[in-house]
């Protein structure tokens, strides 16, 4: 199999998520909040989705794919209440934490998609999103698993289709091989631009960046350098 197409589901559809969906069970209080709140936050696809219907008054629309514990998503949503955010995560532990944070901080500008993010991208209209974040995705380090990485020609085409011209695709990782993999795909893409302001500038965190739980774990494990890219949509 080449990297020009993603592995398929049994029904023949491309998929971009691989791995577990659940972890430790939520305790009673967490489960109660989860059960009571998620139905009002969760995006259920039934054909195409107009994201403006989720946030009619929003000035911008942003997606974060694989938000993990939700630290970045919650912080950005609190900083920019006039922006609508869609968080994509399939891991139930992360979804549970995000739901709790939304309730605790009264964040009414976040909606959650709990299935493969590629399904959401397929459902969105052209040029309907301002920015998309992919922060510290699973690097799938073994060569035979590289086809499972989220960044691929298929996903980049969908990202480019839904991001408006001049919008941004943000990608961060602490794995140099995945950074090189992503750059190799970006420079072959006709839809995105790699325009570093200066050599090495991609090691500087985004403005206002607060380290995620994963990044903190990486530092403890000795991975001290990260890559923070922002690719404009042509």
């Amino acid at each position: 199999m080449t990297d020009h197409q993603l592995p398929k589901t049994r029904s023949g559809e491309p998929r971009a998520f691989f791995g577990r969906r659940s972890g430790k069970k939520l305790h009673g209080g967490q489960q109660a909040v989860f059960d009571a709140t998620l139905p009002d936050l969760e995006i259920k696809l039934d054909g195409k989705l107009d994201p403006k219907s989720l946030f009619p008054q929003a000035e911008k629309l942003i997606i974060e794919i694989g938000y993990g514990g939700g630290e970045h998503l919650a912080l950005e949503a609190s900083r920019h209440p006039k922006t609508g955010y869609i968080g994509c995560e399939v891991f139930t532990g992360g979804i549970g934490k995000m739901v709790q944070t939304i309730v605790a901080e009264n964040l009414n500008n976040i909606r959650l998609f709990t299935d493969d993010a590629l399904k959401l991208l397929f459902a969105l209209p052209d040029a309907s999103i301002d920015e998309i974040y992919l922060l510290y995705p699973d690097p799938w380090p073994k060569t035979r698993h590289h086809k499972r990485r989220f960044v691929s020609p298929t996903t980049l085409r969908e990202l480019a289709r839904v991001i408006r011209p001049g919008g941004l695709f943000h990608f961060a990782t602490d794995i140099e091989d995945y950074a090189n993999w992503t750059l190799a795909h970006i420079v072959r893409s006709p839809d995105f631009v790699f325009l570093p302001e200066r050599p090495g500038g991609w090691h500087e965190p985004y403005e206002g960046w607060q380290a995620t739980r994963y990044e903190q774990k990486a530092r403890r494990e000795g991975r001290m350098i990260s890559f923070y890219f922002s690719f404009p949509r042509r």
Side-chain angles (χ1 to χ4, degrees):
M1 176 176 294
T2 70
D3 68 350
H4 291 285
Q5 67 181 84
L6 289 166
K8 302 291 195 296
T9 63
R10 290 184 179 180
S11 61
E13 298 174 337
R15 62 171 175 162
F17 170 76
F18 304 85
R20 64 177 183 165
R21 292 177 180 264
S22 61
K24 294 181 180 178
K25 290 184 178 181
L26 302 175
H27 65 63
Q30 291 175 318
Q31 190 68 53
V33 173
F34 184 90
D35 293 341
T37 308
L38 183 61
D40 293 329
L41 299 173
E42 188 175 12
I43 296 170
K44 293 290 190 180
L45 295 180
D46 182 16
K48 296 298 182 179
L49 172 69
D50 181 358
K52 291 182 181 178
S53 67
L54 303 173
F55 311 101
Q57 305 302 319
E59 297 177 355
K60 292 179 65 176
L61 295 170
I62 294 177
I63 295 174
E64 182 168 338
I65 297 173
Y67 56 76
E71 299 93 346
H72 177 264
L73 179 57
L75 180 61
E76 289 299 296
S78 67
R79 287 173 171 172
H80 307 286
K82 294 183 179 180
T83 296
Y85 291 87
I86 298 176
C88 301
E89 181 61 65
V90 301
F91 182 47
T92 53
I95 299 168
K97 290 175 184 175
M98 189 73 254
V99 168
Q100 282 190 298
T101 301
I102 289 171
V103 171
E105 299 184 14
N106 193 28
L107 300 173
N108 58 16
N109 56 335
I110 299 177
R111 297 295 181 270
L112 304 178
F113 186 69
T114 61
D115 203 341
D116 190 333
L118 191 56
K119 295 179 181 179
L120 176 67
L121 296 179
F122 285 149
L124 292 171
D126 295 356
S128 58
I129 301 297
D130 293 282
E131 300 178 35
I132 295 181
Y133 283 88
L134 180 65
L135 305 177
Y136 290 96
D138 193 324
W140 292 102
K142 295 181 180 179
T143 301
R144 69 176 183 272
H145 290 156
H146 282 181
K147 61 181 177 291
R148 297 184 174 188
R149 288 175 167 175
F150 189 88
V151 174
S152 73
T154 298
T155 52
L156 283 181
R157 282 194 298 270
E158 284 303 301
L159 291 171
R161 184 184 64 78
V162 303
I163 296 174
R164 63 168 176 79
L168 296 169
F169 168 44
H170 305 282
F171 174 86
T173 183
D174 63 317
I175 306 299
E176 185 172 3
D177 179 67
Y178 202 176
N180 292 335
W181 166 279
T182 299
L183 285 178
H185 282 76
I186 288 290
V187 298
R188 291 199 297 266
S189 169
D191 301 310
F192 290 101
V193 184
F194 175 47
L195 294 174
E197 294 182 359
R198 60 189 180 283
W202 48 81
H203 293 309
E204 298 175 6
Y206 305 119
E207 183 178 356
W209 174 256
Q210 182 172 305
T212 65
R213 189 171 308 179
Y214 182 90
E215 184 171 287
Q216 293 171 349
K217 178 182 177 182
R219 299 296 183 259
R220 291 195 300 270
E221 294 177 353
R223 298 190 299 278
M224 308 306 294
I225 297 176
S226 290
F227 300 80
Y228 307 88
F229 297 115
S230 291
F231 305 112
R233 170 73 166 88
R234 293 182 188 275

